[in-house]
Amino acid sequence: MKPRIMTLGSHTALQILKGAKDEGFETIVVVKKGFDEPYRSYKVADEIIIVDDYSEFRSLEDDLKEKNAILIPHGSIFSAFTVAGIKDSTVRYFGEKEVLALEESRSRQREWLQSAGLTMPKKFEKAEDIDRATIIKFNGAGGGKGYFLAKNKQEFDEKMAERPHEEGYIIQEYVIGNPIYVHYFYSPLNDELEIMSMDKRYETNVDSIGRISAKDQLDLNLQTSYNIIGNIPLVVRESMLAELFRMGRAVVEESKKLTGKGMFGPFCLEMVITPEMEYYVFEISARIVAGSNPFVGGSPYTDLRYDVPMSTGRRISLEIKNAIEQGRLDEVLT
Ligand code: AMP
């Protein structure tokens, strides 16, 4: 039986499922009750399995395996299951599960990116060391929620006192520049790296503070927050592309030294670019990111390479299709 493409109904599921259908696969979505309407309305799922809670996924696994399902991971899968839960799942999975451990630990992720030669914002081990603008990021914070800025220990302590329930965090230099998110795809079948698209984020309240005067901002004692609510398409100066390709290639090559198969498929480098044109990478996502959602119909970059609308979701299914045709499906699944 031909594999079916399956994912959870959230995050980037619409483009993953649409892309799979465009490449000739049947599709399955597992979705929480109350969140199923988009998958019905957009007609991207051949089968919709509704659950009360994602903890039920385990009990669906035998059925999904019988249907020859391949799970396509995306950001919401990591909040629905733990990384350990994903590792234990017996459903076939697109990607290299070993990369999850690299990505999950901030210190291992930092080692990976730095040994690939990328520049990262300085990390402060303790609040006493803060000597410049810093951003405090809590572990597991989904989409920037709860982050705050502090320029010295006193400010750090004051703001931390307002958040008594938060546990693990890191203190990172706040880099002044423009944040951009570059969406890559690496194919282990032909060793080619593609830049699929790019986005910038629309975050509340940081993207709305500029709409009120500096005086009002101070009077209201506003604190910036970085809760993501959407994504905005972006293209960069063409002269920057060569460096972005070099950076993407470097993290792929480094990942091959750190895990069995290395990282492949979609990934994203999240960076701030300064006025001096320095690229500070503050995070890597080793999977499809929601910033690729504006490009269901392809991006200016994929238009250059493909004659059909090529979303990142569709590119995943194309990779699976190519792997099947070449008898190499095992190389892209765990
Ligand atoms: P993250 O959850 O790591 O993607 O970060 C959420 C948001 O915080 C990003 O979109 C950026 O706007 C901002 N940000 C994160 N790290 C830094 C940094 N080191 N310097 C400046 N801005 C940052």
Side-chain angles (χ1 to χ4, degrees):
M1 186 202 296
K2 194 174 174 182
R4 294 187 203 180
I5 301 299
M6 181 263 303
T7 196
L8 301 194
S10 184
H11 196 265
T12 40
L14 289 169
Q15 59 157 311
I16 290 171
L17 300 171
K18 165 78 166 86
K21 287 182 79 70
D22 288 342
E23 291 300 330
F25 291 99
E26 281 192 28
T27 58
I28 305 171
V29 68
V30 178
V31 60
K32 247 168 125 162
K33 196 188 279 173
F35 292 86
D36 48 309
E37 181 63 23
Y39 306 96
R40 253 181 257 292
S41 172
Y42 295 115
K43 304 192 189 313
V44 291
D46 295 305
E47 184 178 352
I48 299 179
I49 301 175
I50 296 181
V51 293
D52 287 317
D53 190 273
Y54 285 129
S55 56
E56 288 169 40
F57 188 78
R58 263 291 140 82
S59 62
L60 300 174
E61 287 195 340
D62 285 344
D63 181 40
L64 291 170
K65 280 190 284 189
E66 242 165 63
K67 289 176 175 153
N68 212 358
I70 296 175
L71 171 63
I72 311 296
H74 56 55
S76 296
I77 289 184
F78 297 86
S79 32
F81 313 138
T82 60
V83 166
I86 293 170
K87 277 193 206 134
D88 289 347
S89 164
T90 51
V91 176
R92 293 194 299 171
Y93 173 99
F94 176 79
E96 161 67 303
K97 286 188 184 177
E98 277 183 54
V99 172
L100 300 177
L102 271 190
E103 193 194 354
E104 191 189 25
S105 146
R106 290 215 200 243
S107 58
R108 291 189 68 193
Q109 182 178 131
R110 194 172 179 88
E111 263 169 52
W112 170 19
L113 297 178
Q114 288 188 324
S115 43
L118 304 192
T119 307
M120 295 194 72
K122 184 176 159 68
K123 183 179 163 209
F124 293 87
E125 295 303 335
K126 48 188 191 311
E128 286 75 12
D129 298 339
I130 299 178
D131 61 359
R132 63 191 82 181
T134 60
I135 181 165
I136 289 70
K137 303 181 175 187
F138 293 99
N139 289 343
K145 200 158 179 251
Y147 291 4
F148 67 89
L149 304 184
K151 58 184 178 308
N152 52 40
K153 169 142 180 8
Q154 189 194 339
E155 194 178 356
F156 173 90
D157 288 341
E158 283 166 14
K159 292 186 177 172
M160 206 51 142
E162 295 163 12
R163 297 168 171 80
H165 304 299
E166 302 286 2
E167 282 176 3
Y169 59 84
I170 56 159
I171 308 173
Q172 199 176 69
E173 168 186 15
Y174 187 84
V175 181
I176 307 285
N178 288 16
I180 70 164
Y181 296 75
V182 184
H183 320 143
Y184 296 87
F185 191 97
Y186 173 68
S187 168
L189 300 177
N190 61 13
D191 188 33
E192 279 197 70
L193 179 71
E194 296 164 50
I195 289 180
M196 304 297 293
S197 49
M198 297 171 201
D199 76 296
K200 63 179 215 162
R201 294 194 172 170
Y202 197 44
E203 293 163 338
T204 176
N205 61 8
V206 70
D207 289 317
S208 61
I209 279 180
R211 291 161 59 91
I212 54 179
S213 71
K215 181 176 178 308
D216 285 340
Q217 291 176 27
L218 292 172
D219 289 349
L220 292 167
N221 191 26
L222 280 181
Q223 300 298 330
T224 42
S225 59
Y226 297 83
N227 289 0
I228 178 106
I229 58 160
N231 303 84
I232 303 166
L234 191 77
V235 289
V236 293
R237 278 166 59 184
E238 193 160 316
S239 57
M240 292 164 62
L241 286 174
E243 176 64 7
L244 295 175
F245 271 106
R246 192 195 62 72
M247 291 163 70
R249 173 60 72 172
V251 292
V252 167
E253 293 308 324
E254 191 61 31
S255 75
K256 290 180 186 172
K257 297 180 201 157
L258 301 173
T259 65
K261 290 179 178 169
M263 174 180 63
F264 60 84
F267 67 98
C268 175
L269 289 180
E270 316 190 348
M271 64 188 85
V272 176
I273 302 179
T274 68
E276 291 74 33
M277 297 304 288
E278 294 157 323
Y279 299 63
Y280 284 88
V281 176
F282 58 85
E283 197 160 325
I284 183 168
S285 291
R287 69 186 86 94
I288 187 169
V289 290
S292 62
N293 278 338
F295 307 105
V296 173
S299 79
Y301 297 107
T302 59
D303 283 349
L304 295 166
R305 192 181 157 111
Y306 296 95
D307 293 326
V308 293
M310 187 58 66
S311 67
T312 295
R314 181 168 180 176
R315 183 66 187 81
I316 293 169
S317 282
L318 177 61
E319 190 74 1
I320 294 171
K321 193 164 106 178
N322 290 340
I324 294 170
E325 280 167 12
Q326 296 172 26
R328 299 169 68 188
L329 188 56
D330 285 349
E331 291 179 39
V332 298
L333 303 182
T334 314

